[in-house]
Amino acid sequence: MILRRVLLLVASAVLPSSLWAAEMVTEFTLDNGLDVVVIEDHRTPAVTHMLWYRIGAADEPPGQSGIAHFLEHLMFKATDELENGEFSRVVEANGGTDNAFTSWDYTAYFQHVAADRLGLMMQMEADRMRDLVITEADVVTERSVILEERAQRTDSSPGALFSEQNRAALYLNHPYGLPIIGWRHEMEELDREDALAFYDRYYAPNNAILIVAGDVTPEEVRRLAEEHYGPIPANLDLPERLRPSEPPHIAERRVIYEDVRVARPYVSRSYLAPERDSGAQEDAAAVALLGQILGGSANTAVLGRTLQIEEERSLFSAAYYLPTQLDDAVFTILNVPVPGISLEEAEADIDRVLAEFLETGIDPAQFDRIKFQYEASEIFAQDDVQGLARQYGMALTTGLTVADIQAWPEVIASTTVEDVMAMAQRLFEGETQSVTGYLTNPPQPTQEEASQ
């Protein structure tokens, strides 16, 4: 007990001033609107170069779901200076690695290389920002690739199909209900004109954030950025980032997906929850801590301790929440019952545990422990320079500032039991704000039906 109290005191003393190494983060903006963030870490002679675009699956034109991810694939094709696939070959030849990823709010491209190769990475990334060459053959090839990717990652996975349907049911009007990879019937129709229009509209310096993390100085990054990105003109016709908002949810929604491939049936409950907002992250902090209290470690979290350890009615339980989004986020509770427990009973178990939690509240000792663990994990994150670059990119492309990012640990630290309980009541006292989902096997035919 004495040791734990000492650790809590140490974390409280160290956390606000040191987390995210605030004194090692520099930000500036080029004349063409490109935002730049430099995270210094001189422990190893390596650097992570990431270019983030404020464009994702939730910004796609109607009827073109998957176009943001499709263009991500096409960005590795030729430019006016590079041949198809040459970008990645050059990175590999210089001892580095590269890749890209798309989400609902952003698309990002990154390379991890030796620090003295940073200029080369900027040269190539700037080249494909505005000089991409897309042929009809490229479109046909990559369209086949993304369709196969959907087949492997989504269509062949009952859990992925179930999650896709759940999300579509949760977001009644907001494009967060679209799958990032796209709906298959719309993916099949994506063409060269769609890709080029999307590229021309959104791939511009004033719609991008450059993050460089590692063994660099702000002066060096500024010099190289001005040399390679600086000459690219801003897109003065860049559209404002407007999205349809969610209407009030006034009806309970349920999703039941049956698939013979399901090995472990389970029940989920998803709620719309507050996202992190610039200058107002307190609600998101309360939800983040609520998720750890309910669904963190099975030995100590409310769901796991009750359903898995004490009652032995659940194989697995959890709570998930990703607060870094531009618009409303999702808080999800999962319960995988032991064989012999129906999904109806598993759903009732969730309701019962939540009701008991709202009645009895939070154990103060558990709350202190979870806050310490959360804060400690943020401190340890500083040792991963690529992870830091990703954290900053996700936050900045979803409307947060560098100051918000650096304030997040302080917001977590100042969150109280009362804050978390108020948020729990706000989320759970109304079924119309949620979607309950069953992932299960089809009913087994009766002996009479089987013999027919």
Side-chain angles (χ1 to χ4, degrees), residues 208-259:
I209 301 170
L210 172 65
I211 298 180
V212 181
D215 189 20
V216 294
T217 65
E219 295 76 17
E220 178 189 11
V221 173
R222 181 186 286 274
R223 177 181 62 80
L224 291 172
E226 288 179 343
E227 176 185 353
H228 297 293
Y229 292 107
I232 303 173
N235 178 8
L236 301 181
D237 296 322
L238 183 69
E240 187 178 354
R241 201 173 196 185
L242 298 175
R243 294 169 173 177
S245 58
E246 277 295 290
H249 289 190
I250 60 174
E252 178 185 2
R253 278 147 293 142
R254 306 182 73 84
V255 172
I256 300 175
Y257 179 62
E258 299 175 344
D259 195 306

Side-chain angles (χ1 to χ4, degrees), residues 158-372:
L161 290 169
F162 175 65
S163 295
E164 187 177 78
Q165 294 296 308
N166 260 283
R167 192 173 184 96
L170 182 62
Y171 288 101
L172 301 177
N173 192 48
H174 194 283
Y176 279 162
L178 297 171
I180 294 171
I181 197 167
W183 299 114
R184 174 172 286 276
H185 69 286
E186 292 184 347
M187 296 166 66
E188 292 172 341
E189 300 299 321
L190 296 176
D191 58 27
R192 181 173 178 271
E193 287 69 30
D194 296 334
L196 284 174
F198 198 79
Y199 173 74
D200 291 339
R201 184 178 302 119
Y202 295 113
Y203 277 56
N206 53 323
N207 198 40
I209 301 170
L210 172 65
I211 298 180
V212 181
D215 189 20
V216 294
T217 65
E219 295 76 17
E220 178 189 11
V221 173
R222 181 186 286 274
R223 177 181 62 80
L224 291 172
E226 288 179 343
E227 176 185 353
H228 297 293
Y229 292 107
I232 303 173
N235 178 8
L236 301 181
D237 296 322
L238 183 69
E240 187 178 354
R241 201 173 196 185
L242 298 175
R243 294 169 173 177
S245 58
E246 277 295 290
H249 289 190
I250 60 174
E252 178 185 2
R253 278 147 293 142
R254 306 182 73 84
V255 172
I256 300 175
Y257 179 62
E258 299 175 344
D259 195 306
V260 295
R261 300 169 295 180
V262 173
R264 295 289 184 200
Y266 63 82
V267 59
S268 70
R269 175 80 55 70
S270 297
Y271 303 82
L272 288 182
E275 75 282 0
R276 290 171 66 184
D277 288 324
S278 182
Q281 302 182 86
E282 291 77 12
D283 283 352
V287 183
L289 290 173
L290 176 64
Q292 291 298 308
I293 291 165
L294 290 178
S297 168
N299 293 319
T300 58
V302 172
L303 287 165
R305 186 182 66 242
T306 303
L307 298 179
Q308 294 174 239
I309 306 302
E310 296 175 0
E311 300 180 0
E312 297 183 343
R313 293 176 60 82
S314 177
L315 294 173
F316 176 74
S317 61
Y320 303 105
Y321 171 63
L322 178 63
T324 311
Q325 293 191 173
L326 189 62
D327 301 310
D328 283 344
V330 183
F331 183 89
T332 299
I333 293 173
L334 192 71
N335 184 19
V336 184
V338 300
I341 301 291
S342 70
L343 292 188
E344 290 78 9
E345 292 173 296
E347 180 186 355
D349 285 341
I350 291 176
D351 291 334
R352 171 172 55 84
V353 172
L354 291 181
E356 292 173 355
F357 173 73
L358 291 174
E359 180 68 26
T360 60
I362 300 170
D363 174 27
Q366 182 202 22
F367 188 66
D368 287 343
R369 180 175 60 252
I370 284 175
K371 283 182 70 173
F372 169 68

